[in-house]
Amino acid sequence: QVQLVESGGGLVQPGESLRLSCAASGSIFTIYDMGWYRQAPGKQRELVATIPSGGSTNYADSVKGRFTISRDNAKRTAYLQMNSLKPEDTAVYYCNADITGYYSRRTTYWGQGTQVTVSS
């Protein structure tokens, strides 16, 4: 079984930073694209950033220049460095990854989410 576990969320003031982590575990053969999404109360889940196993990253316009997605393939972990946080960044942040397991075909997995609250 494959599992994604996020960590690093919390309550911060506007202008501060947070770093989210997403660790994949289980019977993993290959991890392809990894990404971060977020869902604010009353809104649909939206893309924040994605990073393929090799190649260029992609960001939502609202976070360009403030957020940086990265990954450590050896640790099977993706990160989201969030700087200059704004109240409108408040949301539950979800990690996802396209993974081929030893006993399963390529599947998109989601983490349980981590709350990020930006408030003074």
Side-chain angles (χ1 to χ4, degrees), residues 6-111:
E6 300 107 333
S7 60
L11 171 63
V12 296
Q13 294 188 346
E16 294 186 338
S17 299
L18 275 176
R19 188 194 194 207
L20 305 182
S21 299
C22 169
S25 63
S27 300
I28 295 171
F29 184 70
T30 303
I31 302 177
Y32 300 95
D33 294 359
M34 301 186 79
W36 289 95
Y37 291 72
R38 66 186 181 187
Q39 187 166 18
K43 295 188 177 181
Q44 290 189 335
R45 190 174 297 189
E46 64 176 3
L47 170 72
V48 176
T50 59
I51 183 168
S53 56
S56 60
T57 54
N58 179 53
Y59 295 93
D61 288 342
S62 59
V63 307
K64 281 181 182 176
R66 300 188 298 121
F67 290 10
T68 302
I69 188 171
S70 61
R71 62 191 284 172
D72 183 330
N73 291 326
K75 294 183 178 179
R76 295 175 172 175
T77 300
Y79 304 95
L80 185 68
Q81 178 66 44
M82 305 185 293
N83 298 329
S84 302
L85 282 161
K86 304 175 180 180
E88 50 263 44
D89 294 318
T90 296
V92 177
Y93 283 71
Y94 297 92
C95 169
N96 86 342
D98 287 345
I99 295 172
T100 299
Y102 284 106
Y103 311 108
S104 61
R105 64 182 65 184
R106 182 168 174 167
T107 304
T108 299
Y109 294 89
W110 290 88

